[in-house]
Amino acid sequence: MRLSGKRALVIGGGGGGIGRAITGAFGNEGAAVVVADVDLARATEAADALGEQGATAYPVSGDVRSAGDIDAMIQTAVDKLGGLDVLVTVVGGQVAFVPAVKLHEMADEDWDTIYEVNLRYVARAVRAALRVFLAQGTGGTIVSVGSVTGFMAAPEQAAYGVMKAGILSLARTVAAEYSRDGIRMNVAAAGAIATAVANAHVATEVVEDIPAGRFGRSEEVAEAVVYLASDASAYVTGQQLVLDGGVSVRGPFS
Ligand SMILES: NC(=O)c1ccc[n+]([C@@H]2O[C@H](COP(=O)([O-])OP(=O)(O)OC[C@H]3O[C@@H](n4cnc5c(N)ncnc54)[C@H](O)[C@@H]3O)[C@@H](O)[C@H]2O)c1
């Protein structure tokens, strides 16, 4: 029970992919969880599944594009759980939200959409969580699901890569500014993970370029998020843990 006694908010935790794997793992590890998602049915299903396992879990609906909804998610977590120790941000992506096109073809409004669903909300949620953590005086941990696109080229997903890079920058600043307050932020940066979204958009031939010879599993990302949320990673902050089956370290001759 690596998260025993931790009170967590997972934004985007109702999803069928990585988000759902994270909420499931958090329940297994003893955390009390508020599952936030734009799709209330998904959030409710995820929370109910945790409840059946004996975990404490509540669903909340909210759209990360709304500043008011972000604040409400944080407040609901504080109210339902009696405080907040862990914030996890999962919502993100590009192909699920706007067309994949080369940089010069990308429309301004699509760039803005990708900013809203990947970085603007993370920054807002992080700021709100910091205020809660500081008021409680007991520290806190933030984990954001990132991507290898945040530090590698992102063909036809330029905005997505820029936003994921921004999340890592935020984590570094949180490390520099709040470590003395017992507050940490890290990124779990995923490569190609087998989810419905990825399956619909990523060609299966991509597998041949992955040294591990397979896509990653949502549960493998969730395991990293558990570690980064737990006290086992107490001396780790401002970092990204890369889960990519070796893609980002592959040289031209491997
Ligand atoms: N799938 C991959 O291969 C892959 C690779 C690298 C990184 N990632 C990252 O993993 C994260 C999760 O991706 P996933 O594809 O597994 O999705 P997921 O299945 O975890 O679902 C994410 C959830 O976000 C919710 N959501 C969508 N828009 C929302 C909004 N506006 N407000 C609130 N909730 C909203 C969805 O309803 C869904 O339940 C993203 O940050 C993505 O960038 C995924």
Side-chain angles (χ1 to χ4, degrees), residues 9-12 18-19 22 26 64 70 74 86-93 117-127 129-130 133 140-148 150-151 160 163-172 174 184-191 220-230 233 236-243:
L9 168 64
V10 183
I11 300 178
I18 295 169
I22 292 169
F26 271 41
V64 298
I70 294 291
I74 300 272
V86 179
L87 167 68
V88 182
T89 65
V90 185
V91 178
V117 298
N118 284 281
L119 181 58
R120 190 181 71 177
Y121 93 87
V122 175
R124 187 172 187 93
V126 165
R127 297 197 314 271
L130 287 170
F133 295 158
T141 307
I142 300 162
V143 186
S144 285
V145 178
S147 165
V148 293
F151 61 95
Y160 176 55
M163 304 314 157
K164 291 298 192 186
I167 290 174
L168 180 60
S169 175
L170 261 183
R172 289 173 173 157
V174 168
R184 302 185 292 119
M185 178 169 173
N186 291 289
V187 175
E220 292 171 316
V221 181
E223 178 65 23
V225 175
V226 167
Y227 166 68
L228 293 172
S230 76
S233 61
V236 181
T237 188
Q239 301 297 321
Q240 63 180 352
L241 180 47
V242 180
L243 302 122

Side-chain angles (χ1 to χ4, degrees), residues 11-22 36-40 42-43 61-66 69-70 73 89-94 96-97 116-118 121 144-149 160 164 167 188-199 202 215-216 218 221 243:
I11 300 178
I18 295 169
R20 183 64 180 269
I22 292 169
D37 207 288
V38 71
D39 185 333
L40 181 60
R42 282 182 175 179
S61 70
D63 187 333
V64 298
R65 290 168 295 188
S66 157
D69 283 11
I70 294 291
M73 289 174 194
T89 65
V90 185
V91 178
Q94 175 157 323
F97 298 97
E116 289 172 3
V117 298
N118 284 281
Y121 93 87
S144 285
V145 178
S147 165
V148 293
T149 57
Y160 176 55
K164 291 298 192 186
I167 290 174
I193 306 301
T195 62
V197 172
N199 291 346
V202 180
F215 287 106
S218 294
V221 181
L243 302 122

